[in-house]
C-alpha cells in the first residue's frame, strides 16, 4: 500500500494510523500520487480562506474521501490532530473497524492524558480523549482510572533518584510470540558463566558512578529473558553484587521476574529471599495447556500452581502474574477460565498483556496472523479481564501500548492497593533515570530539571556483550557527563 504525504510534516503519525487498520501489510510513503495499486492520500493545502485538509483512499474497488477547512492560523499540533481524525474516520468507514484508542497511537497514552489533565482537569482530559481523539468511552475511563491511581506513585520519584534494571537475556525456550533479545539456554548455556562474571563487573561500575553522583536507588528490577534460568549460586552472586554496589537506604522494592514456572525451585527462591528480593513475577501467560504447547512454553498449568504455592510457602507476599490475551488456540471462554484460576490464587498484582505480533516473532514469520476474528476475540478478552479484576479489588496502575497489538488494545498492570510496582510506573512514564546493566539493556537518563532524555545502549546479544565488553563499559562515562550538564 502507498501512503501519500502532501504539504504537511505528519508522515509518522499518518503512517501509524494506517497501521491500525492494516497491521500486517507493508506501507510505502511517497510525496506524489500515482495511478497504481492501493493508495491513501493525505494533504494540506494553504489557501486564502484557510488550510484545506484532504484525505482519500483507493482500496481495491472501494474509494472514499473527506475534506475539512481549518482557520489559517491553526497550530501544527491541532492541524495534525484534525488530519488524524479525518483519516481515522475515512478508514473506519471503509473497513467497518473502529479502533478503541481512536487516533491515539503512542506507547504511553497516560503521558498524553496527564498533560491534558494539567490544563483541563481529570474529567476534561477524559472528555478530550472521547471527543477530540475518538477514544472509546471504555478506554477513556481506563485511562482516567489508571492515571488517578498512579499519581501518588509518580510523586515518589525523587529528583535525585534512579532505578536499576538488570538484564538476564536467557530463556528455557523461545516463545512463538517473543521478539525480545533473548537466547534459549539450550543454545547459549556455555555463555552464561562468562556473562554472569561480566554482568557483575558492570553492576559494580554502575554503583561507583551513581555513588559518585549522589544518586539514590529507589527500585531494582531483574528482567529478561527469564532470570530464574540462572542457577541458585549464579543468581545469588548477581544479587549479592547489587547489594554490595548500591546503597539501599531509599530503595522501596526489589523485583525479580521468576518468569517460567518450570524454572522456580526451592534453592532459587531461597537465594532470592536471602538477597532481599521483595517481589517476584510468576508468568503463566495462560492456564490452558493446549495454548502453552502452541506457543512453545514447556511448562504446564499444574507447574504454575505448584510454583505459586512454593513461593508462598517460602515467604513471598508480593507476587505478580502475567497473562496474554489473544494467544493462538485461546478462546474468550478459556481466557475467562484463566482469569478465574489466577484470581483464585489471589496474587498481589496481575498484568494483562495483549498479543503483539512483532516482525521478529516466530508466530508472525510462520504466517500466524489471527485476522479480524482474532482481534475481536482479544478485545472481548481484555474487556472481560478489566471488569473481572475490578470486581476482585484490583486497580489499574500502569498502562502502555505496542505496535501490531491485536485489535489495537493495550497492556495494563492491575494491583491490589499498596502492591503497585514503582519500577513499572517510573519506566513507562519516564519520570526518572533508569540505569541498565546486561545484554540488550538500555540506560535511559532523564534530566531532573527538564524533560530531556538520553539513551545509552548496551550491545544486544550475550556473545556481543562478552566480546565487546570493554567498549561497552566506556559508554558508562556518559552517565557522569549527562548529570554534569543536567539542568543546563
Amino acid at each position: 500500500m502507498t501512503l501519500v504525504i502532501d504539504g504537511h510534516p505528519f508522515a509518522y503519525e499518518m503512517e501509524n494510523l494506517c497501521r491500525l487498520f492494516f497491521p500486517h501489510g507493508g506501507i510505502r510513503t511517497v510525496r506524489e500520487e500515482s495511478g497504481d495499486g492501493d493508495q491513501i492520500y493525505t494533504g494540506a493545502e494553504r489557501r486564502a480562506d484557510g488550510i484545506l485538509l484532504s484525505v482519500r483512499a483507493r482500496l481495491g474497488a472501494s474509494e472514499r474521501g473527506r475534506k475539512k477547512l481549518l482557520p489559517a492560523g491553526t497550530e501544527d499540533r491541532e492541524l495534525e490532530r484534525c488530519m488524524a481524525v479525518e483519516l481515522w474516520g475515512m478508514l473506519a468507514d471503509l473497513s467497518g473497524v473502529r479502533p478503541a484508542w481512536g487516533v491515539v497511537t503512542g506507547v504511553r497514552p497516560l503521558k498524553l492524558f496527564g498533560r491534558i489533565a494539567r490544563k483541563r482537569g481529570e474529567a476534561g482530559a477524559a472528555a478530550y480523549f472521547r471527543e477530540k481523539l475518538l477514544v472509546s468511552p471504555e478506554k477513556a475511563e481506563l485511562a482516567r482510572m489508571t492515571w488517578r491511581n498512579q499519581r501518588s506513585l509518580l510523586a515518589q520519584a525523587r529528583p535525585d533518584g534512579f532505578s536499576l534494571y538488570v538484564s538476564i537475556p536467557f530463556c528455557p525456550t523461545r516463545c512463538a510470540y517473543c521478539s525480545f533479545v533473548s537466547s534459549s539456554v539450550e543454545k547459549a548455556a556455555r555463555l552464561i558463566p562468562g556473562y554472569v562474571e561480566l554482568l557483575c563487573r558492570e553492576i559494580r561500575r554502575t554503583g561507583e558512578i551513581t555513588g559518585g553522583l549522589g544518586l539514590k536507588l529507589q527500585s531494582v528490577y531483574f528482567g529478561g529473558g527469564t532470570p530464574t534460568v540462572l542457577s541458585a549460586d549464579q543468581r545469588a552472586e548477581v544479587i549479592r553484587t547489587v547489594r554490595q554496589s548500591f546503597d539501599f537506604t531509599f530503595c522501596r522494592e526489589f523485583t525479580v521476574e521468576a518468569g517460567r514456572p518450570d524454572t522456580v525451585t526451592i534453592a532459587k527462591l531461597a537465594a532470592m529471599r536471602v538477597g532481599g528480593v521483595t517481589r517476584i513475577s510468576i508468568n503463566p501467560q495462560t492456564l490452558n495447556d493446549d495454548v502453552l504447547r502452541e506457543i512453545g512454553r514447556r511448562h504446564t498449568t499444574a507447574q504454575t500452581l505448584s510454583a505459586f504455592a512454593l513461593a508462598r510457602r517460602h515467604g513471598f507476599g508480593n507476587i505478580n502474574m502475567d497473562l496474554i490475551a489473544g494467544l493462538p488456540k485461546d478462546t474468550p471462554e478459556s481466557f475467562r477460565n484463566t482469569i478465574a484460576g489466577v484470581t483464585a490464587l489471589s496474587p498481589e498484582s496481575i498484568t494483562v498483556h495483549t498479543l503483539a505480533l512483532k516482525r521478529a516473532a516466530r508466530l508472525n514469520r510462520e504466517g500466524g496472523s489471527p485476522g479480524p476474528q482474532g482481534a475481536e476475540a482479544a478485545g472481548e478478552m481484555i474487556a472481560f479481564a478489566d471488569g473481572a479484576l475490578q470486581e476482585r479489588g484490583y486497580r489499574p496502575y500502569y498502562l502502555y501500548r505496542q505496535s501490531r497489538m491485536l485489535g489495537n488494545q493495550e497492556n495494563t498492570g492491575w494491583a491490589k492497593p499498596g502492591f503497585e510496582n514503582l519500577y513499572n510506573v517510573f519506566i513507562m512514564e519516564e519520570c526518572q533515570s533508569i540505569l541498565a546493566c546486561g545484554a540488550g539493556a538500555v540506560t535511559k537518563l532523564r534530566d531532573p530539571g527538564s524533560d530531556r532524555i538520553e539513551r545509552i545502549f548496551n550491545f544486544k546479544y550475550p556473545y556481543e556483550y562478552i566480546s565487546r565488553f570493554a567498549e561497552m563499559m566506556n559508554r558508562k562515562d556518559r552517565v557522569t557527563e549527562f548529570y554534569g550538564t543536567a539542568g543546563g
Side-chain angles (χ1 to χ4, degrees):
M1 174 185 296
T2 300
L3 170 63
V4 181
I5 304 296
D6 184 13
H8 66 85
F10 311 129
Y12 180 78
E13 183 64 15
M14 297 307 110
E15 183 175 342
N16 282 340
L17 275 172
C18 288
R19 291 196 188 284
L20 297 183
F21 296 89
F22 310 102
H24 306 295
I27 298 175
R28 183 172 64 99
T29 301
V30 299
R31 293 291 172 179
E32 295 182 358
E33 291 186 86
S34 69
D36 302 323
D38 290 345
Q39 182 173 272
I40 295 173
Y41 172 88
T42 63
E45 180 186 356
R46 284 163 173 78
R47 312 188 318 187
D49 59 345
I51 304 172
L52 180 65
L53 302 183
S54 301
V55 296
R56 51 182 178 268
R58 183 181 66 236
L59 304 174
S62 300
E63 293 190 16
R64 195 69 57 93
R66 296 170 67 141
K67 293 184 178 182
K68 185 179 182 67
L69 183 66
L70 299 177
T74 302
E75 295 182 352
D76 277 357
R77 179 174 288 182
E78 177 64 6
L79 190 64
E80 181 181 40
R81 184 195 69 81
C82 291
M83 182 172 284
V85 166
E86 295 304 311
L87 178 59
W88 188 96
M90 178 185 69
L91 294 179
D93 289 346
L94 269 172
S95 65
V97 175
R98 306 186 72 80
W101 282 97
V103 300
V104 177
T105 62
V107 172
R108 298 174 173 85
L110 293 193
K111 289 194 75 173
L112 174 60
F113 190 96
R115 187 167 67 240
I116 298 169
R118 284 188 285 274
K119 295 179 180 179
R120 299 169 178 256
E122 183 180 316
Y128 189 92
F129 262 43
R130 294 191 305 269
E131 298 163 11
K132 300 295 186 180
L133 301 178
L134 309 182
V135 177
S136 74
E138 295 78 14
K139 299 304 183 188
E141 175 63 11
L142 177 63
R144 185 197 65 78
M145 287 191 300
T146 310
W147 182 77
R148 171 181 283 186
N149 291 334
Q150 74 171 208
R151 289 178 69 187
S152 62
L153 305 176
L154 290 170
Q156 297 180 43
R158 299 172 55 106
D160 59 352
F162 75 99
S163 294
L164 176 70
Y165 178 80
V166 178
S167 171
I168 312 294
F170 304 97
C171 283
T173 59
R174 189 174 179 86
C175 295
Y177 56 79
C178 182
S179 63
F180 292 143
V181 178
S182 61
S183 305
S184 68
V185 172
E186 294 171 344
K187 295 181 179 179
R190 61 183 178 78
L191 298 177
I192 293 178
Y195 179 84
V196 168
E197 179 183 349
L198 294 179
L199 176 63
C200 289
R201 284 176 56 186
E202 186 186 4
I203 290 169
R204 285 191 287 269
R205 176 61 181 145
T206 304
E208 291 170 0
I209 292 170
T210 55
L213 291 169
L215 301 179
K216 305 295 189 294
L217 178 66
Q218 289 195 263
S219 69
V220 179
Y221 197 100
F222 276 41
T226 306
T228 39
V229 300
L230 299 185
S231 69
D233 289 344
Q234 289 167 336
R235 174 182 295 277
E237 180 183 357
V238 178
I239 292 175
R240 184 167 55 248
T241 301
V242 170
R243 283 281 176 185
Q244 293 171 349
S245 302
F246 297 91
D247 179 359
F248 271 69
T249 301
F250 299 95
C251 189
R252 299 287 305 277
E253 62 187 23
F254 191 154
T255 298
V256 172
E257 287 188 1
R260 302 283 189 96
D262 50 333
T263 66
V264 177
T265 66
I266 292 174
K268 293 176 182 180
L269 289 170
M272 288 188 282
R273 287 285 292 168
V274 170
V277 173
T278 60
R279 179 180 182 270
I280 64 172
S281 189
I282 297 173
N283 302 333
Q285 315 302 16
T286 175
L287 296 184
N288 184 322
D289 284 347
D290 289 338
V291 176
L292 288 171
R293 283 189 290 272
E294 182 71 13
I295 63 177
R297 289 174 76 94
R298 294 180 181 173
H299 66 83
T300 63
T301 297
Q303 286 175 303
T304 296
L305 302 179
S306 176
F308 188 91
L310 192 65
R312 283 289 198 231
R313 287 199 300 271
H314 283 77
F316 284 95
N318 190 351
I319 301 177
N320 174 74
M321 302 187 84
D322 279 7
L323 304 176
I324 300 179
L327 289 171
K329 288 196 174 181
D330 209 359
T331 65
E333 180 181 4
S334 63
F335 184 80
R336 288 193 291 271
N337 292 336
T338 290
I339 292 289
V342 168
T343 53
L345 297 174
S346 195
E348 283 63 41
S349 58
I350 299 172
T351 306
V352 182
H353 299 267
T354 304
L355 179 65
L357 287 177
K358 301 293 188 177
R359 289 190 183 93
R362 175 168 59 85
L363 190 62
N364 192 48
R365 295 197 312 270
E366 295 176 356
S369 172
Q373 290 183 338
E376 184 177 338
E380 185 178 337
M381 294 174 187
I382 290 294
F384 176 81
D386 290 354
L389 292 174
Q390 287 184 72
E391 289 175 2
R392 289 161 176 78
Y394 292 90
R395 305 188 309 178
Y397 74 98
Y398 86 106
L399 182 155
Y400 69 102
R401 303 177 64 244
Q402 296 169 275
S403 62
R404 301 177 186 272
M405 298 183 87
L406 284 185
N408 189 37
Q409 297 292 325
E410 69 283 334
N411 304 326
T412 307
W414 298 81
K416 297 177 181 178
F419 290 96
E420 300 87 355
N421 181 239
L422 287 178
Y423 176 85
N424 286 333
V425 173
F426 290 169
I427 192 169
M428 277 299 119
E429 300 309 309
E430 299 180 315
C431 61
Q432 72 169 203
S433 291
I434 308 294
L435 279 294
C437 299
V442 180
T443 289
K444 184 184 293 185
L445 303 173
R446 184 185 187 278
D447 183 345
S450 72
D451 291 332
R452 182 167 66 100
I453 289 176
E454 183 173 320
R455 292 169 174 81
I456 303 172
F457 295 86
N458 281 8
F459 292 117
K460 275 189 175 184
Y461 303 103
Y463 71 87
E464 198 178 17
Y465 177 88
I466 293 170
S467 65
R468 302 176 69 180
F469 184 75
E471 179 184 347
M472 187 203 68
M473 285 288 278
N474 289 335
R475 300 178 185 178
K476 292 290 181 184
D477 294 338
R478 182 57 197 141
V479 177
T480 303
E481 295 169 8
F482 178 89
Y483 278 93
T485 60

